[in-house]
Amino acid sequence: MLKFNCRTVIWTGLATMAIVGYCIYFDQKRRKDPHYKRRIYERREFDRRLKLPQIDESMSPVNVEVVEYFLQRVYLGETYFRRNDWNRAVHNFANAIMICANPSIFLYKLHKVMPKEFYDLIMARVQLLINTSDAWSGSSSTMSDVYENYTESSTEGTDSQLLDNDS
């Protein structure tokens, strides 16, 4: 059996406290660095881009171009939103919605993530684009049906919440 000398225990405890104190000190110093959050954001953005689904080689060139255009519009929309340039962000998000294969899912995600005022601007821009495209084509598109169905379902919950708050 091991016998621990009082001095050994004290020195071991002091060494452990010094190592833990050293780690805490440099962790606080690292977190207080003004560029820390930017570097963390860039690292997470890089990791997120690596995890994006890869474009299948068997896709036709037209579909690959549409997917690349969609991803570019979403990226630009996010970039302009972070810079508080809402006009350009709305423009890019609306263009992404218009070419999206399944706009209802994309609209749902935007509705959950973006502020209500910004989301309303996007929806107004999408409605303008739909009306413009309907006027040019002379027929109603499936995009306008998606927009109407989504806005009806998303506003029903808010109307009932407003009624509950009034009473």
Side-chain angles (χ1 to χ4, degrees):
M1 199 142 144
L2 293 173
K3 278 187 161 181
F4 289 110
N5 188 343
C6 185
R7 286 184 183 174
T8 307
V9 172
I10 291 174
W11 282 108
T12 305
L14 288 174
T16 303
M17 285 177 39
I19 291 171
V20 170
Y22 182 79
C23 292
I24 291 172
Y25 169 75
F26 279 105
D27 186 52
Q28 286 180 347
K29 188 175 179 181
R30 175 182 57 103
R31 288 180 186 227
K32 288 182 181 177
D33 182 23
H35 303 292
Y36 173 71
K37 288 185 179 182
R38 181 182 50 83
R39 285 191 304 245
I40 291 293
Y41 175 78
E42 289 172 355
R43 186 179 305 137
R44 287 181 182 163
E45 186 75 17
F46 178 75
D47 291 342
R48 185 183 66 84
R49 287 190 185 179
L50 288 178
K51 293 179 184 177
L52 284 177
Q54 299 299 321
I55 298 174
D56 189 13
E57 297 288 330
S58 64
M59 293 177 114
S60 69
V62 174
N63 289 340
V64 172
E65 290 172 1
V66 170
V67 170
E68 288 176 356
Y69 181 79
F70 171 76
L71 292 175
Q72 181 185 22
R73 292 295 131 199
V74 172
Y75 175 75
L76 287 173
E78 290 173 348
T79 303
Y80 287 129
F81 179 75
R82 272 188 260 118
R83 292 181 186 168
N84 290 326
D85 189 355
W86 281 21
N87 289 331
R88 288 183 180 169
V90 166
H91 174 77
N92 284 295
F93 278 127
N95 287 341
I97 290 167
M98 292 303 289
I99 65 162
C100 186
N102 194 350
S104 58
I105 293 173
F106 188 57
L107 286 170
Y108 176 76
K109 293 198 181 264
L110 281 177
H111 182 68
K112 292 294 182 189
V113 174
M114 299 295 173
K116 180 165 178 30
E117 301 83 22
F118 183 73
Y119 179 77
D120 291 341
L121 289 172
I122 293 172
M123 295 310 289
R125 174 73 178 188
V126 167
Q127 185 61 40
L128 176 69
L129 291 173
I130 291 170
N131 291 340
T132 305
S133 67
D134 286 348
W136 279 93
S137 67
S139 64
S140 63
S141 65
T142 58
M143 185 65 197
S144 59
D145 297 336
V146 168
Y147 172 77
E148 289 170 5
N149 290 338
Y150 188 76
T151 54
E152 287 172 4
S153 65
S154 66
T155 56
E156 286 173 0
T158 56
D159 290 343
S160 63
Q161 290 172 354
L162 289 174
L163 291 174
D164 292 340
N165 290 340
D166 290 340
S167 44

